[in-house]
């Protein structure tokens, strides 16, 4: 897969991320792979927070909306073949 396709597939599902990581252009789409991984981790953290009554539910709702907005922004960036990092989470480097 080329860089653009790898970036788009990475945003689709967790299985899409795994396929993009294993079979795609890892070096070219490293930014999108990294941002998608951070979004998945934030989503899991929100799910864990939801077990806390009331405060956790509110935090999970806010975090879920933020993850959805960042996911849409990242997908649009991957479709445009743009390497612009997402706000707030774009600087987090998990994949080196």
């Amino acid at each position: 897969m080329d860089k653009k396709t790898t970036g788009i597939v990475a945003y689709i599902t967790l299985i899409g991320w795994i396929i993009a990581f294993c079979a795609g252009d890892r070096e070219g789409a490293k930014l999108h792979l990294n941002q998608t991984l951070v979004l998945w981790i934030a989503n899991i953290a929100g799910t864990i927070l939801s077990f806390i009554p009331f405060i956790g539910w509110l935090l999970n709702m806010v975090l879920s909306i933020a993850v959805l907005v960042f996911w849409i922004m990242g997908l649009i960036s991957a479709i445009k073949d743009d390497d612009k990092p997402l706000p707030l989470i774009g600087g987090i480097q998990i994949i080196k």
Side-chain angles (χ1 to χ4, degrees):
M1 287 189 284
D2 64 333
K3 174 185 164 192
K4 182 176 180 179
T5 307
T6 302
I8 293 169
V9 169
Y11 282 101
I12 302 302
T13 62
L14 183 59
I15 294 173
W17 185 89
I18 293 169
I19 291 169
F21 184 76
C22 294
D25 179 15
R26 248 187 275 163
E27 288 303 313
K30 188 187 309 185
L31 175 76
H32 295 295
L33 287 167
N34 195 35
Q35 290 181 157
T36 307
L37 184 60
V38 171
L39 289 174
W40 279 107
I41 291 170
N43 197 20
I44 292 169
T47 303
I48 292 170
L49 282 175
S50 70
F51 289 108
I52 301 171
F54 193 67
I55 298 291
W57 300 336
L58 291 175
L59 289 174
N60 181 34
M61 188 175 9
V62 170
L63 189 60
S64 295
I65 292 169
V67 166
L68 177 65
V69 169
F70 287 149
W71 179 82
I72 291 169
M73 290 171 62
L75 183 60
I76 290 171
S77 176
I79 290 169
K80 289 181 178 180
D81 200 18
D82 188 17
D83 284 340
K84 188 171 73 170
L86 293 173
L88 299 176
I89 67 166
I92 300 172
Q93 291 284 325
I94 296 175
I95 301 172
K96 304 227 184 231

